[in-house]
Structure formats: C-alpha cells, structure tokens
Coordinates of all heavy atoms in Angstrom, one line a residue:
M1 N -9.7 16.9 -35.3 CA -9.8 16.8 -33.9 C -9.2 15.5 -33.4 O -9.5 14.5 -34.0 CB -11.3 16.9 -33.4 CG -11.4 17.1 -31.9 SD -13.2 17.4 -31.5 CE -13.1 19.1 -31.3
L2 N -8.4 15.5 -32.4 CA -7.8 14.3 -31.9 C -8.7 13.5 -31.0 O -9.4 14.1 -30.2 CB -6.5 14.6 -31.1 CG -5.4 15.3 -32.0 CD1 -4.2 15.7 -31.0 CD2 -4.9 14.3 -33.0
N3 N -8.6 12.2 -31.1 CA -9.4 11.3 -30.2 C -8.6 11.3 -28.9 O -7.4 11.5 -28.9 CB -9.5 9.9 -30.8 CG -10.4 9.8 -32.0 OD1 -11.2 10.7 -32.2 ND2 -10.1 8.8 -32.8
N4 N -9.3 10.9 -27.9 CA -8.7 10.8 -26.6 C -8.0 9.4 -26.5 O -8.6 8.4 -26.0 CB -9.6 10.9 -25.4 CG -9.9 12.3 -25.0 OD1 -9.1 13.2 -25.4 ND2 -11.0 12.6 -24.3
C5 N -6.9 9.2 -27.1 CA -6.2 8.0 -27.2 C -5.2 7.9 -26.0 O -4.5 8.9 -25.7 CB -5.4 7.8 -28.5 SG -6.5 7.7 -29.9
R6 N -5.1 6.8 -25.4 CA -4.2 6.6 -24.3 C -3.1 5.7 -24.8 O -3.3 4.6 -25.3 CB -4.9 5.9 -23.1 CG -4.2 6.1 -21.8 CD -5.0 5.5 -20.7 NE -4.7 4.1 -20.7 CZ -5.0 3.3 -19.6 NH1 -5.6 3.9 -18.6 NH2 -4.6 2.1 -19.6
T7 N -1.8 6.1 -24.6 CA -0.7 5.4 -25.0 C -0.4 4.3 -23.9 O -0.4 4.6 -22.7 CB 0.5 6.3 -25.1 OG1 0.2 7.3 -26.1 CG2 1.7 5.5 -25.6
M8 N -0.2 3.1 -24.3 CA 0.1 2.0 -23.4 C 1.6 2.0 -23.2 O 2.4 1.9 -24.2 CB -0.3 0.7 -24.0 CG -1.8 0.5 -24.1 SD -2.6 0.1 -22.6 CE -1.9 -1.5 -22.2
K9 N 2.1 2.1 -22.0 CA 3.5 2.0 -21.6 C 3.7 0.6 -21.1 O 3.1 0.2 -20.1 CB 3.9 3.0 -20.6 CG 3.9 4.4 -21.2 CD 4.4 5.4 -20.1 CE 5.8 5.2 -19.7 NZ 6.3 6.1 -18.6
I10 N 4.6 -0.1 -21.8 CA 4.9 -1.5 -21.4 C 6.4 -1.7 -21.2 O 7.2 -1.3 -22.0 CB 4.4 -2.5 -22.6 CG1 2.8 -2.4 -22.7 CG2 4.8 -3.9 -22.3 CD1 2.3 -3.1 -23.9
C11 N 6.7 -2.4 -20.1 CA 8.1 -2.7 -19.8 C 8.2 -4.2 -19.8 O 7.3 -4.9 -19.3 CB 8.4 -2.2 -18.4 SG 10.0 -2.6 -17.8
I12 N 9.3 -4.7 -20.3 CA 9.6 -6.2 -20.3 C 10.9 -6.4 -19.7 O 11.9 -5.8 -20.2 CB 9.5 -6.8 -21.7 CG1 8.1 -6.4 -22.4 CG2 9.7 -8.3 -21.7 CD1 8.0 -6.8 -23.9
I13 N 11.0 -7.3 -18.7 CA 12.3 -7.6 -18.0 C 12.6 -9.0 -18.3 O 11.8 -9.9 -18.1 CB 12.1 -7.4 -16.5 CG1 11.7 -6.0 -16.1 CG2 13.4 -7.8 -15.8 CD1 11.2 -5.8 -14.7
G14 N 13.9 -9.2 -18.8 CA 14.3 -10.6 -19.2 C 15.7 -10.6 -19.6 O 16.4 -9.6 -19.7
R15 N 16.2 -11.8 -20.0 CA 17.5 -11.9 -20.5 C 17.6 -11.3 -21.9 O 16.6 -11.4 -22.6 CB 17.9 -13.4 -20.6 CG 18.2 -14.0 -19.3 CD 18.8 -15.4 -19.5 NE 18.8 -16.2 -18.3 CZ 19.7 -16.1 -17.3 NH1 20.7 -15.2 -17.4 NH2 19.6 -16.8 -16.2
H16 N 18.7 -10.8 -22.3 CA 18.8 -10.2 -23.6 C 18.3 -11.0 -24.8 O 17.5 -10.6 -25.6 CB 20.3 -9.8 -23.9 CG 20.6 -9.2 -25.2 ND1 20.3 -7.8 -25.4 CD2 21.0 -9.6 -26.4 CE1 20.6 -7.5 -26.6 NE2 21.0 -8.6 -27.2
E17 N 18.7 -12.3 -24.8 CA 18.3 -13.2 -25.9 C 16.8 -13.5 -25.9 O 16.2 -13.7 -26.9 CB 19.1 -14.5 -25.9 CG 19.0 -15.3 -24.6 CD 20.1 -14.9 -23.6 OE1 20.8 -13.9 -23.8 OE2 20.1 -15.5 -22.5
S18 N 16.1 -13.4 -24.7 CA 14.7 -13.7 -24.7 C 13.9 -12.5 -25.1 O 12.7 -12.6 -25.4 CB 14.3 -14.2 -23.3 OG 14.4 -13.2 -22.3
L19 N 14.5 -11.4 -25.2 CA 13.8 -10.1 -25.6 C 13.9 -9.8 -27.1 O 13.4 -8.8 -27.5 CB 14.2 -9.0 -24.7 CG 14.0 -9.2 -23.2 CD1 14.6 -8.0 -22.5 CD2 12.5 -9.3 -22.9
K20 N 14.7 -10.6 -27.8 CA 15.0 -10.2 -29.2 C 13.7 -10.0 -30.1 O 13.7 -9.1 -30.9 CB 15.8 -11.3 -29.9 CG 17.3 -11.3 -29.4 CD 18.1 -12.4 -30.1 CE 19.5 -12.4 -29.6 NZ 20.2 -13.5 -30.2
A21 N 12.7 -10.8 -29.9 CA 11.5 -10.7 -30.7 C 10.8 -9.4 -30.5 O 10.1 -8.9 -31.4 CB 10.6 -11.9 -30.4
V22 N 10.9 -8.8 -29.4 CA 10.1 -7.6 -29.1 C 10.9 -6.3 -28.9 O 10.4 -5.2 -28.7 CB 9.2 -7.8 -27.8 CG1 8.1 -8.8 -28.1 CG2 10.0 -8.1 -26.6
R23 N 12.2 -6.4 -28.9 CA 13.1 -5.3 -28.6 C 12.8 -4.1 -29.5 O 12.8 -3.0 -29.0 CB 14.6 -5.8 -28.7 CG 15.5 -4.7 -28.2 CD 16.9 -5.2 -28.1 NE 17.1 -6.2 -27.1 CZ 17.1 -6.0 -25.8 NH1 17.0 -4.8 -25.3 NH2 17.3 -7.0 -24.9
N24 N 12.6 -4.3 -30.7 CA 12.5 -3.2 -31.7 C 11.0 -2.8 -31.9 O 10.7 -2.2 -32.9 CB 13.2 -3.5 -33.0 CG 14.7 -3.6 -32.8 OD1 15.3 -2.9 -32.0 ND2 15.3 -4.6 -33.5
K25 N 10.1 -3.2 -31.0 CA 8.7 -2.9 -31.2 C 8.2 -1.7 -30.4 O 7.0 -1.5 -30.3 CB 7.9 -4.1 -30.9 CG 8.2 -5.3 -31.7 CD 7.9 -5.1 -33.2 CE 8.3 -6.3 -34.0 NZ 8.2 -6.1 -35.4
G26 N 9.1 -1.0 -29.7 CA 8.8 0.2 -29.0 C 8.5 0.0 -27.5 O 8.1 0.9 -26.8
F27 N 8.8 -1.2 -27.0 CA 8.6 -1.5 -25.6 C 9.9 -1.2 -24.9 O 11.0 -1.2 -25.5 CB 8.3 -3.0 -25.4 CG 7.1 -3.5 -26.1 CD1 7.3 -4.4 -27.2 CD2 5.9 -3.0 -25.8 CE1 6.2 -4.8 -27.9 CE2 4.8 -3.5 -26.6 CZ 5.0 -4.4 -27.6
N28 N 9.8 -0.8 -23.6 CA 11.0 -0.6 -22.8 C 11.5 -2.0 -22.3 O 10.9 -2.6 -21.4 CB 10.7 0.3 -21.6 CG 11.9 0.6 -20.8 OD1 13.0 0.5 -21.3 ND2 11.7 1.0 -19.6
C29 N 12.5 -2.5 -23.0 CA 13.0 -3.8 -22.7 C 14.3 -3.6 -21.8 O 15.2 -2.9 -22.2 CB 13.4 -4.6 -24.0 SG 12.0 -5.0 -25.0
I30 N 14.3 -4.3 -20.7 CA 15.4 -4.1 -19.7 C 16.0 -5.5 -19.5 O 15.4 -6.5 -19.1 CB 14.9 -3.6 -18.4 CG1 14.2 -2.2 -18.6 CG2 16.0 -3.4 -17.4 CD1 13.5 -1.6 -17.4
D31 N 17.3 -5.6 -19.8 CA 18.1 -6.8 -19.7 C 18.3 -7.1 -18.2 O 18.7 -6.2 -17.5 CB 19.4 -6.7 -20.4 CG 19.2 -6.6 -21.9 OD1 18.2 -7.0 -22.4 OD2 20.1 -6.0 -22.6
A32 N 18.2 -8.3 -17.8 CA 18.6 -8.8 -16.5 C 19.4 -10.1 -16.7 O 18.9 -11.0 -17.3 CB 17.3 -9.0 -15.6
A33 N 20.5 -10.2 -16.0 CA 21.4 -11.3 -16.2 C 20.9 -12.5 -15.3 O 21.2 -13.7 -15.6 CB 22.8 -11.0 -15.8
N34 N 20.2 -12.2 -14.2 CA 19.8 -13.2 -13.3 C 18.6 -12.8 -12.5 O 18.1 -11.6 -12.7 CB 20.9 -13.6 -12.3 CG 21.5 -12.4 -11.6 OD1 20.7 -11.6 -11.0 ND2 22.8 -12.2 -11.6
A35 N 18.0 -13.7 -11.7 CA 16.8 -13.4 -10.9 C 16.9 -12.2 -10.0 O 16.0 -11.4 -9.8 CB 16.3 -14.6 -10.2
D36 N 18.1 -12.1 -9.3 CA 18.3 -11.0 -8.4 C 18.3 -9.7 -9.1 O 17.7 -8.7 -8.6 CB 19.7 -11.1 -7.7 CG 19.7 -12.3 -6.7 OD1 18.7 -12.7 -6.2 OD2 20.8 -12.8 -6.4
E37 N 18.9 -9.6 -10.2 CA 18.9 -8.3 -11.0 C 17.5 -8.0 -11.5 O 17.1 -6.9 -11.5 CB 19.9 -8.5 -12.2 CG 20.1 -7.2 -12.9 CD 21.2 -7.3 -14.0 OE1 22.0 -8.2 -14.0 OE2 21.1 -6.5 -15.0
A38 N 16.8 -9.1 -11.9 CA 15.4 -8.9 -12.4 C 14.5 -8.4 -11.2 O 13.7 -7.5 -11.4 CB 14.8 -10.2 -12.9
G39 N 14.7 -8.9 -10.0 CA 14.0 -8.4 -8.9 C 14.2 -7.0 -8.5 O 13.3 -6.2 -8.3
R40 N 15.5 -6.6 -8.6 CA 15.8 -5.2 -8.3 C 15.2 -4.3 -9.4 O 14.7 -3.2 -9.1 CB 17.4 -5.0 -8.3 CG 18.0 -5.5 -7.1 CD 19.5 -5.0 -6.9 NE 20.3 -5.5 -8.1 CZ 20.9 -6.7 -8.2 NH1 20.7 -7.5 -7.2 NH2 21.6 -7.0 -9.2
T41 N 15.3 -4.7 -10.7 CA 14.7 -3.9 -11.8 C 13.2 -3.8 -11.6 O 12.7 -2.7 -11.8 CB 15.1 -4.6 -13.1 OG1 16.5 -4.7 -13.2 CG2 14.5 -3.8 -14.3
L42 N 12.6 -4.9 -11.2 CA 11.1 -4.9 -11.0 C 10.8 -3.9 -9.9 O 9.8 -3.1 -10.1 CB 10.6 -6.3 -10.6 CG 9.2 -6.4 -10.3 CD1 8.3 -6.0 -11.5 CD2 8.8 -7.8 -9.9
R43 N 11.5 -3.8 -8.8 CA 11.2 -2.9 -7.8 C 11.3 -1.4 -8.3 O 10.5 -0.6 -8.0 CB 12.1 -3.1 -6.6 CG 11.7 -4.2 -5.7 CD 12.6 -4.3 -4.5 NE 12.7 -5.7 -4.0 CZ 13.5 -6.6 -4.4 NH1 14.5 -6.3 -5.3 NH2 13.5 -7.9 -4.0
D44 N 12.4 -1.2 -9.1 CA 12.6 0.1 -9.7 C 11.5 0.6 -10.6 O 10.9 1.7 -10.5 CB 13.9 0.2 -10.4 CG 15.1 0.1 -9.5 OD1 14.9 0.3 -8.3 OD2 16.2 -0.2 -10.0
V45 N 11.1 -0.3 -11.6 CA 10.1 0.1 -12.6 C 8.7 0.0 -12.1 O 7.8 0.6 -12.7 CB 10.2 -0.8 -13.9 CG1 11.6 -0.6 -14.5 CG2 9.9 -2.2 -13.7
S46 N 8.5 -0.7 -11.0 CA 7.1 -0.8 -10.5 C 6.6 0.6 -10.0 O 5.4 0.8 -9.9 CB 7.0 -1.8 -9.3 OG 7.7 -1.4 -8.2
C47 N 7.5 1.5 -9.7 CA 7.2 2.8 -9.2 C 6.9 3.8 -10.4 O 6.4 4.9 -10.2 CB 8.3 3.4 -8.4 SG 8.7 2.5 -6.9
K48 N 7.2 3.3 -11.6 CA 7.0 4.2 -12.7 C 5.6 4.0 -13.3 O 4.9 3.0 -13.0 CB 8.1 3.9 -13.7 CG 9.4 4.3 -13.2 CD 10.5 4.2 -14.1 CE 11.8 4.6 -13.4 NZ 13.0 4.2 -14.2
D49 N 5.3 4.8 -14.3 CA 3.9 4.8 -14.9 C 3.8 3.8 -16.0 O 3.5 4.2 -17.2 CB 3.6 6.2 -15.3 CG 2.1 6.4 -15.7 OD1 1.3 5.6 -15.2 OD2 1.9 7.3 -16.6
Y50 N 3.9 2.5 -15.8 CA 3.7 1.5 -16.8 C 2.4 0.9 -16.7 O 1.9 0.6 -15.5 CB 4.8 0.4 -16.7 CG 6.2 0.8 -17.1 CD1 7.2 1.0 -16.2 CD2 6.4 1.0 -18.5 CE1 8.4 1.4 -16.6 CE2 7.7 1.4 -18.9 CZ 8.7 1.6 -17.9 OH 9.9 2.0 -18.3
N51 N 1.7 0.7 -17.8 CA 0.4 0.0 -17.8 C 0.6 -1.5 -17.5 O -0.2 -2.1 -16.8 CB -0.3 0.1 -19.1 CG -0.6 1.6 -19.4 OD1 0.2 2.2 -20.0 ND2 -1.7 2.1 -19.0
S52 N 1.6 -2.1 -18.0 CA 1.9 -3.5 -17.8 C 3.4 -3.7 -17.7 O 4.2 -3.0 -18.4 CB 1.5 -4.4 -19.0 OG 0.1 -4.3 -19.1
I53 N 3.8 -4.6 -16.8 CA 5.2 -4.9 -16.6 C 5.3 -6.4 -16.8 O 4.7 -7.2 -16.0 CB 5.7 -4.5 -15.2 CG1 5.6 -3.0 -14.9 CG2 7.2 -4.9 -15.0 CD1 5.8 -2.6 -13.5
Y54 N 6.0 -6.9 -17.8 CA 6.1 -8.3 -18.1 C 7.5 -8.7 -17.6 O 8.5 -8.1 -17.8 CB 6.0 -8.6 -19.6 CG 4.6 -8.5 -20.1 CD1 4.2 -7.3 -20.6 CD2 3.8 -9.6 -20.1 CE1 2.9 -7.1 -21.1 CE2 2.5 -9.4 -20.6 CZ 2.1 -8.2 -21.1 OH 0.8 -8.1 -21.6
V55 N 7.5 -9.9 -16.9 CA 8.7 -10.5 -16.4 C 8.9 -11.8 -17.1 O 8.0 -12.6 -17.1 CB 8.7 -10.7 -14.8 CG1 9.9 -11.3 -14.3 CG2 8.4 -9.3 -14.1
A56 N 10.1 -12.0 -17.6 CA 10.4 -13.3 -18.3 C 10.1 -14.5 -17.4 O 10.4 -14.5 -16.2 CB 11.9 -13.3 -18.7
E57 N 9.6 -15.5 -18.1 CA 9.2 -16.7 -17.4 C 10.3 -17.3 -16.5 O 10.1 -17.8 -15.4 CB 8.8 -17.8 -18.5 CG 8.3 -19.1 -18.0 CD 7.8 -19.9 -19.1 OE1 8.3 -19.8 -20.3 OE2 6.9 -20.7 -18.9
E58 N 11.6 -17.3 -17.0 CA 12.7 -17.8 -16.2 C 12.9 -17.1 -14.9 O 13.5 -17.7 -14.0 CB 14.0 -17.8 -17.0 CG 14.4 -16.4 -17.5 CD 15.4 -16.4 -18.6 OE1 16.4 -17.1 -18.4 OE2 15.1 -15.8 -19.6
F59 N 12.5 -15.9 -14.7 CA 12.7 -15.1 -13.5 C 11.4 -15.0 -12.7 O 11.5 -14.8 -11.5 CB 13.2 -13.7 -13.8 CG 14.5 -13.6 -14.5 CD1 14.7 -12.7 -15.5 CD2 15.5 -14.5 -14.2 CE1 15.8 -12.6 -16.2 CE2 16.7 -14.4 -14.9 CZ 16.9 -13.4 -15.9
Y60 N 10.3 -15.2 -13.3 CA 9.0 -14.9 -12.7 C 8.8 -15.7 -11.4 O 8.5 -15.1 -10.3 CB 7.8 -15.1 -13.6 CG 6.5 -14.6 -13.1 CD1 6.2 -13.3 -13.3 CD2 5.6 -15.4 -12.5 CE1 5.0 -12.8 -12.9 CE2 4.4 -14.9 -12.0 CZ 4.1 -13.6 -12.2 OH 2.9 -13.1 -11.8
D61 N 9.0 -17.0 -11.5 CA 8.7 -17.8 -10.3 C 9.7 -17.5 -9.1 O 9.3 -17.5 -8.0 CB 8.9 -19.3 -10.6 CG 7.7 -19.8 -11.5 OD1 6.6 -19.2 -11.4 OD2 7.9 -20.8 -12.2
T62 N 10.9 -17.2 -9.5 CA 12.0 -16.9 -8.5 C 11.7 -15.6 -7.7 O 11.9 -15.5 -6.5 CB 13.3 -16.8 -9.1 OG1 13.6 -18.0 -9.9 CG2 14.4 -16.7 -8.1
I63 N 11.2 -14.6 -8.5 CA 10.9 -13.3 -7.8 C 9.5 -13.1 -7.4 O 9.1 -12.1 -7.0 CB 11.4 -12.2 -8.7 CG1 10.7 -12.1 -10.0 CG2 12.9 -12.3 -8.9 CD1 11.1 -10.9 -10.8
Y64 N 8.7 -14.2 -7.5 CA 7.2 -14.1 -7.2 C 7.0 -13.6 -5.7 O 6.2 -12.8 -5.5 CB 6.5 -15.4 -7.4 CG 5.0 -15.2 -7.2 CD1 4.2 -14.5 -8.1 CD2 4.4 -15.5 -6.0 CE1 2.9 -14.3 -7.9 CE2 3.1 -15.3 -5.8 CZ 2.3 -14.7 -6.7 OH 1.0 -14.5 -6.5
S65 N 7.9 -14.0 -4.8 CA 7.7 -13.6 -3.4 C 7.9 -12.0 -3.3 O 7.2 -11.4 -2.6 CB 8.7 -14.3 -2.5 OG 10.0 -14.0 -2.9
A66 N 8.9 -11.5 -4.1 CA 9.0 -10.1 -4.2 C 7.8 -9.4 -4.8 O 7.4 -8.3 -4.3 CB 10.3 -9.7 -4.9
V67 N 7.3 -10.0 -5.8 CA 6.1 -9.4 -6.5 C 4.9 -9.4 -5.5 O 4.2 -8.4 -5.4 CB 5.7 -10.3 -7.7 CG1 4.4 -9.8 -8.3 CG2 6.8 -10.2 -8.8
S68 N 4.8 -10.4 -4.7 CA 3.6 -10.5 -3.8 C 3.7 -9.5 -2.6 O 2.7 -9.2 -2.0 CB 3.5 -11.9 -3.2 OG 4.6 -12.2 -2.4
E69 N 4.9 -8.8 -2.5 CA 5.0 -7.8 -1.5 C 4.4 -6.5 -1.9 O 4.1 -5.6 -1.1 CB 6.5 -7.5 -1.1 CG 7.1 -8.7 -0.4 CD 8.6 -8.5 -0.3 OE1 9.1 -7.4 -0.6 OE2 9.3 -9.5 0.1
Y70 N 4.2 -6.3 -3.2 CA 3.6 -5.1 -3.7 C 2.1 -5.0 -3.4 O 1.4 -5.9 -3.3 CB 3.8 -4.9 -5.2 CG 5.3 -4.9 -5.6 CD1 5.9 -5.9 -6.4 CD2 6.1 -3.9 -5.2 CE1 7.2 -5.9 -6.7 CE2 7.4 -3.8 -5.5 CZ 8.0 -4.8 -6.3 OH 9.3 -4.8 -6.6
C71 N 1.7 -3.7 -3.3 CA 0.2 -3.5 -3.1 C -0.5 -4.0 -4.4 O 0.0 -4.1 -5.4 CB 0.0 -2.1 -2.8 SG 0.3 -0.9 -4.1
M72 N -1.8 -4.2 -4.2 CA -2.6 -4.7 -5.3 C -2.6 -3.8 -6.5 O -2.7 -4.2 -7.7 CB -4.1 -4.9 -4.8 CG -4.2 -6.1 -3.9 SD -3.6 -7.6 -4.6 CE -4.8 -7.9 -5.9
E73 N -2.5 -2.5 -6.3 CA -2.4 -1.5 -7.4 C -1.3 -1.8 -8.4 O -1.4 -1.7 -9.6 CB -2.3 -0.1 -6.8 CG -2.3 1.0 -7.9 CD -2.2 2.3 -7.3 OE1 -2.7 2.6 -6.2 OE2 -1.6 3.2 -7.9
V74 N -0.2 -2.2 -7.8 CA 1.0 -2.6 -8.7 C 1.0 -4.0 -9.2 O 1.3 -4.3 -10.3 CB 2.3 -2.3 -7.9 CG1 3.5 -2.7 -8.7 CG2 2.4 -0.8 -7.6
R75 N 0.6 -4.9 -8.3 CA 0.6 -6.4 -8.6 C -0.2 -6.7 -9.9 O 0.2 -7.6 -10.6 CB 0.1 -7.2 -7.4 CG 1.2 -7.5 -6.5 CD 0.8 -8.4 -5.4 NE -0.2 -9.3 -5.6 CZ -0.8 -10.0 -4.7 NH1 -0.5 -9.9 -3.5 NH2 -1.7 -10.9 -5.0
H76 N -1.3 -6.0 -10.1 CA -2.2 -6.4 -11.2 C -1.5 -6.0 -12.5 O -1.9 -6.5 -13.6 CB -3.6 -5.8 -11.1 CG -3.6 -4.3 -11.5 ND1 -3.3 -3.3 -10.6 CD2 -3.9 -3.7 -12.7 CE1 -3.4 -2.2 -11.2 NE2 -3.8 -2.4 -12.5
R77 N -0.5 -5.2 -12.5 CA 0.2 -4.8 -13.7 C 1.4 -5.7 -14.1 O 1.9 -5.7 -15.2 CB 0.8 -3.4 -13.6 CG -0.3 -2.3 -13.5 CD 0.3 -0.9 -13.4 NE 1.0 -0.7 -12.2 CZ 2.0 0.1 -12.1 NH1 2.5 0.7 -13.1 NH2 2.6 0.3 -10.9
I78 N 1.8 -6.6 -13.1 CA 2.9 -7.5 -13.3 C 2.4 -8.8 -13.9 O 1.6 -9.4 -13.4 CB 3.7 -7.7 -12.0 CG1 4.2 -6.3 -11.5 CG2 4.8 -8.6 -12.2 CD1 4.7 -6.4 -10.1
K79 N 3.0 -9.1 -15.1 CA 2.5 -10.3 -15.8 C 3.7 -11.2 -16.3 O 4.8 -10.7 -16.4 CB 1.7 -9.8 -17.1 CG 0.5 -9.0 -16.7 CD 0.0 -8.4 -18.0 CE -1.3 -7.5 -17.8 NZ -1.5 -6.9 -16.6
L80 N 3.4 -12.4 -16.6 CA 4.4 -13.4 -17.0 C 4.6 -13.2 -18.5 O 3.7 -13.1 -19.3 CB 3.8 -14.8 -16.8 CG 4.7 -15.9 -17.3 CD1 6.0 -16.1 -16.5 CD2 3.9 -17.2 -17.3
F81 N 5.9 -13.1 -18.9 CA 6.3 -13.1 -20.3 C 6.9 -14.4 -20.6 O 8.0 -14.8 -20.1 CB 7.3 -12.0 -20.5 CG 7.7 -11.8 -21.9 CD1 6.9 -11.1 -22.8 CD2 8.9 -12.2 -22.4 CE1 7.2 -10.9 -24.1 CE2 9.3 -12.1 -23.8 CZ 8.4 -11.4 -24.6
P82 N 6.2 -15.3 -21.4 CA 6.7 -16.6 -21.7 C 7.9 -16.7 -22.5 O 8.2 -15.8 -23.4 CB 5.5 -17.3 -22.4 CG 4.8 -16.1 -23.1 CD 5.0 -14.9 -22.2
S83 N 8.7 -17.7 -22.4 CA 9.9 -17.9 -23.2 C 9.4 -18.7 -24.4 O 8.3 -19.3 -24.5 CB 10.9 -18.8 -22.4 OG 10.4 -20.1 -22.2
Y84 N 10.3 -18.7 -25.4 CA 10.0 -19.5 -26.7 C 9.9 -20.9 -26.3 O 9.2 -21.7 -27.0 CB 11.1 -19.2 -27.7 CG 11.0 -17.9 -28.3 CD1 12.0 -16.9 -28.1 CD2 10.0 -17.5 -29.1 CE1 12.0 -15.7 -28.6 CE2 9.9 -16.2 -29.7 CZ 10.9 -15.3 -29.4 OH 10.8 -14.1 -30.0
K85 N 10.7 -21.4 -25.4 CA 10.7 -22.8 -25.0 C 9.4 -23.3 -24.5 O 9.1 -24.5 -24.6 CB 11.8 -23.1 -24.0 CG 13.2 -22.8 -24.5 CD 14.2 -23.0 -23.4 CE 15.6 -22.6 -23.9 NZ 16.6 -22.6 -22.9
S86 N 8.6 -22.4 -23.8 CA 7.4 -22.9 -23.2 C 6.3 -23.2 -24.3 O 5.4 -23.9 -24.0 CB 6.8 -21.8 -22.2 OG 6.3 -20.7 -23.0
G87 N 6.5 -22.6 -25.5 CA 5.5 -22.9 -26.5 C 4.3 -22.0 -26.5 O 3.5 -22.0 -27.3
D88 N 4.2 -21.2 -25.4 CA 3.0 -20.3 -25.3 C 3.4 -18.9 -25.8 O 3.9 -18.0 -25.1 CB 2.6 -20.2 -23.8 CG 1.4 -19.3 -23.6 OD1 0.7 -18.9 -24.6 OD2 1.1 -18.9 -22.5
L89 N 3.2 -18.7 -27.1 CA 3.6 -17.5 -27.8 C 2.4 -16.5 -27.9 O 2.6 -15.5 -28.6 CB 4.2 -17.8 -29.1 CG 5.4 -18.7 -29.1 CD1 5.9 -19.0 -30.5 CD2 6.5 -18.1 -28.3
G90 N 1.3 -16.8 -27.3 CA 0.1 -15.9 -27.4 C 0.4 -14.5 -26.9 O 0.0 -13.5 -27.6
I91 N 1.1 -14.3 -25.8 CA 1.4 -13.0 -25.3 C 2.3 -12.2 -26.3 O 2.2 -11.1 -26.5 CB 2.1 -13.1 -23.9 CG1 1.1 -13.5 -22.8 CG2 2.7 -11.7 -23.5 CD1 0.0 -12.5 -22.5
I92 N 3.3 -13.0 -26.8 CA 4.3 -12.3 -27.7 C 3.5 -11.9 -29.0 O 3.7 -10.8 -29.4 CB 5.4 -13.3 -28.1 CG1 6.2 -13.6 -26.8 CG2 6.3 -12.7 -29.2 CD1 7.3 -14.7 -27.0
R93 N 2.6 -12.7 -29.5 CA 1.8 -12.3 -30.6 C 0.9 -11.1 -30.3 O 0.8 -10.2 -31.1 CB 0.9 -13.4 -31.1 CG 1.7 -14.5 -31.8 CD 0.8 -15.5 -32.5 NE 1.6 -16.7 -32.9 CZ 1.5 -17.8 -32.2 NH1 0.7 -18.0 -31.2 NH2 2.3 -18.8 -32.7
E94 N 0.3 -11.0 -29.1 CA -0.5 -9.9 -28.7 C 0.3 -8.6 -28.7 O -0.1 -7.6 -29.1 CB -1.1 -10.1 -27.4 CG -2.3 -11.1 -27.4 CD -2.9 -11.2 -26.0 OE1 -2.8 -10.2 -25.2 OE2 -3.3 -12.3 -25.7
L95 N 1.5 -8.7 -28.1 CA 2.4 -7.5 -28.0 C 2.8 -7.1 -29.4 O 3.0 -5.9 -29.6 CB 3.6 -7.8 -27.2 CG 3.3 -8.0 -25.7 CD1 4.6 -8.5 -25.0 CD2 2.8 -6.7 -25.0
M96 N 3.0 -8.0 -30.3 CA 3.5 -7.6 -31.7 C 2.4 -6.8 -32.4 O 2.8 -6.0 -33.3 CB 3.8 -8.8 -32.5 CG 4.9 -9.7 -31.9 SD 6.4 -8.7 -31.8 CE 7.4 -9.8 -32.8
I97 N 1.1 -6.9 -32.1 CA 0.1 -6.2 -32.8 C -0.4 -5.0 -32.1 O -1.2 -4.2 -32.6 CB -1.1 -7.1 -33.1 CG1 -1.8 -7.6 -31.9 CG2 -0.7 -8.2 -34.1 CD1 -3.1 -8.3 -32.1
L98 N 0.1 -4.7 -30.9 CA -0.3 -3.5 -30.2 C 0.2 -2.2 -30.9 O 1.1 -2.2 -31.6 CB 0.4 -3.4 -28.8 CG -0.3 -4.3 -27.8 CD1 0.4 -4.2 -26.4 CD2 -1.8 -3.9 -27.5

C-alpha cells in the first residue's frame, strides 16, 4: 500500500553559473541573465503549482517590489536562494538532501 506522499515541486531562478550545484538534483532551474528577465520568469512561474520558488540572491532585492505585488498566497512561496559568495550555504545543503 502506498503512503500519501506529496511531491515537493521546487523552482529556482538565477544565473546559469549560480545554479550549477543544484541543476542535476531534480529541481526546475530557470536561467535568467538579468533582474528584468528574472522578474518576468517569476511572474510566469508564480502561477504554476510550485511549493517553493527560490530566487537567486543577486536578483532578489532588485525584484522585491515585483514580489510584494503578489497576493500572500504566492508571496510565502518565494524565497531567497543565496549565492556561494554570501557564505550562507544552509539552503543549498537543505535542497541537496530533499
């Protein structure tokens, strides 16, 4: 008998090089060349059925105003994806063991 397991759908938006560590782990990684492209991508994927949407640190602050326009139902799913430069690799480690 199968357990009622729920599959987590996770999307990560960032520059190609910042997604290398998680690209082959089964996440939907979407490359964005700049903050404008990341913002458009965020608007597109926010309508889809993702449990969490991570946005690369380099784009997050720039597109925060766009994020704040979303209703609370969507906003709670949008999270910061730290860069290697920030030294905060906790999220990356968590994603690696999902």
Side-chain angles (χ1 to χ4, degrees):
M1 193 175 257
L2 295 174
N3 293 336
N4 277 341
C5 294
R6 197 175 88 161
T7 303
M8 294 283 293
K9 286 181 67 180
I10 297 173
C11 175
I12 306 172
I13 302 168
R15 290 190 194 276
H16 180 80
E17 56 276 0
S18 65
L19 300 177
K20 285 181 183 177
V22 294
R23 186 169 297 283
N24 295 323
K25 301 297 180 187
F27 306 111
N28 184 18
C29 294
I30 302 174
D31 296 334
N34 54 50
D36 290 336
E37 189 176 338
R40 286 191 301 275
T41 301
L42 178 61
R43 283 185 207 89
D44 292 344
V45 300
S46 66
C47 300
K48 298 184 179 168
D49 189 27
Y50 287 106
N51 299 89
S52 295
I53 302 168
Y54 288 91
V55 177
E57 184 174 29
E58 60 195 304
F59 300 142
Y60 191 84
D61 289 336
T62 308
I63 62 174
Y64 185 77
S65 59
V67 172
S68 64
E69 293 174 7
Y70 296 116
C71 66
M72 289 304 292
E73 183 180 326
V74 174
R75 275 185 29 193
H76 79 277
R77 293 184 292 147
I78 300 170
K79 300 169 178 28
L80 173 70
F81 185 76
S83 68
Y84 289 111
K85 294 176 187 176
S86 73
D88 181 13
L89 300 178
I91 291 291
I92 296 171
R93 285 189 194 107
E94 283 180 36
L95 289 172
M96 299 296 239
I97 61 170
L98 282 178

